[in-house]
Amino acid sequence: MSEPRTRTRARPRPRTPSVWLSKAAVNGALVLAVVYMLFPLAWLLTAATKDAGGLLAGNAFSFEGFDLGGNLSRLAAYDDGIYFHWYLNSLLYAGVGALACSLVSVAAGYAFDKYDFPGKEKLFGVVLLGVLVPTTALALPMYLLASEVGVVNTYWAVILPVLVNPFGVYLARVFSAGYIPDEALEAARIDGAGELRTFWSIGLRMVMPGFVTVFLFQFTAIWNNFFLPLVMLSDQKLYPLSLGLYSWNSNAHAEPGFYPLVVTGSLLAVVPLVVAFVSLQRHWKAGLTAGSVK
């Protein structure tokens, strides 16, 4: 009888210098990208601790003359604390607008994916054409419509135009096709659930990663929105942070004392975006692992 053959494990090949060079190039590019993105934030952190003289002297990256508390107190006291009034306005515009827009986008994407109706693909093509139109080109037509309705220089002038997001509808349709199986909807209809109940209880829950994605995109866009409030609003008490800080920065050339207010206010303006992304990232992680375990 012949002896059984023993399998020999193949020895791993030593990595060639080209592999190490390619890894070093990729890691170096990533490090440069991280530095490029974090450099403005690092400047903002150190510059917010300076007074006007320290900023104009050009030593913003040093902590010499640390006066962050003084800048915050002057920011809160200036013009009866109008900065925090702008802060609340931005939270209202971005929070309500992003939440309503996400719900509308997910509902529209769900309808485009799960229902058949005449002209569906043509209508969806019109929605995709809306992605190609820049928002600045729509500001003047929206102002004329708002003036006809009588909502210019009100909160509604900023909230109503941001309730529709063509890219959000497209993204919601993609998420609906990948996350919501037709069998689950059919089981809900067999159990007697109506279409609205099926969408609210099953469809919306399953597509929650897409809802959070659209919400974060729209929240960031509204929070940084500048041109639409500039066109729609004339009352300073209705300004969002972007427009309020712009008005201060315009006055800083004549009054350098505005520079610390603008820099400190810009630092505080980053906080809601960081909080939103950090607190909602778990929904992305849950969406990435959905379906991986049978």
Side-chain angles (χ1 to χ4, degrees):
M1 296 179 63
S2 59
E3 296 181 356
R5 297 180 181 179
T6 57
R7 296 183 180 180
T8 59
R9 294 184 179 180
R11 295 180 180 179
R13 295 181 179 179
R15 295 187 177 183
T16 60
S18 60
V19 176
W20 292 107
L21 289 176
S22 62
K23 287 188 63 177
V26 172
N27 292 333
L30 291 176
V31 170
L32 289 177
V34 170
V35 171
Y36 177 79
M37 290 185 290
L38 294 182
F39 182 80
L41 184 59
W43 182 91
L44 196 60
L45 287 171
T46 56
T49 65
K50 303 294 179 183
D51 56 5
L55 287 173
L56 295 177
N59 57 346
F61 281 104
S62 67
F63 286 98
E64 183 180 356
F66 188 90
D67 193 27
L68 180 59
N71 288 338
L72 291 175
S73 62
R74 286 187 290 271
L75 184 68
Y78 183 81
D79 200 5
D80 296 329
I82 193 170
Y83 171 82
F84 291 101
H85 194 82
W86 296 339
Y87 211 98
L88 293 177
N89 289 342
S90 291
L91 289 175
L92 175 66
Y93 296 143
V96 175
L99 187 63
C101 175
S102 301
L103 186 60
V104 171
S105 299
V106 170
Y110 173 86
F112 275 117
D113 177 49
K114 301 304 179 184
Y115 296 108
D116 292 325
F117 50 88
K120 181 179 78 170
E121 296 302 329
K122 294 182 180 179
L123 183 60
F124 188 69
V126 174
V127 173
L128 293 181
L129 287 177
V131 180
L132 305 177
V133 180
T135 55
T136 53
L138 301 176
L140 183 58
M142 285 190 292
Y143 172 79
L144 297 176
L145 290 174
S147 62
E148 290 291 333
V149 179
V151 296
V152 174
N153 202 31
T154 63
Y155 289 107
W156 295 108
V158 180
I159 294 177
L160 289 178
V162 300
L163 296 182
V164 178
N165 184 4
F167 179 73
V169 176
Y170 165 75
L171 198 62
R173 183 178 183 179
V174 173
F175 272 95
S176 176
Y179 282 79
I180 306 177
D182 295 334
E183 293 79 6
L185 303 181
E186 290 297 331
R189 295 187 183 106
I190 292 174
D191 290 339
E195 295 300 326
L196 290 178
R197 178 66 182 277
T198 302
F199 167 72
W200 184 261
S201 300
I202 297 178
L204 186 59
R205 305 292 178 86
M206 288 184 171
V207 81
M208 189 55 66
F211 182 91
V212 173
T213 302
V214 176
F215 176 84
L216 287 176
F217 281 155
Q218 193 69 356
F219 185 89
T220 305
I222 300 172
W223 187 267
N224 297 326
N225 197 1
F226 170 76
F227 195 67
L228 181 64
L230 179 65
V231 172
M232 293 290 188
L233 303 177
S234 59
D235 187 359
Q236 196 178 31
K237 293 184 178 180
L238 300 177
Y239 282 2
L241 276 178
S242 57
L243 192 55
L245 292 175
Y246 170 78
S247 64
W248 280 359
N249 189 57
S250 301
N251 297 329
H253 300 285
E255 299 181 29
F258 276 103
Y259 280 121
L261 298 181
V262 172
V263 174
T264 309
S266 300
L267 177 62
L268 295 181
V270 179
V271 174
L273 298 178
V274 175
V275 171
F277 274 88
V278 172
S279 60
L280 295 177
Q281 67 176 346
R282 61 186 180 89
H283 294 282
W284 279 342
K285 293 180 180 178
L288 291 174
T289 57
S292 60
V293 180
K294 295 183 178 180

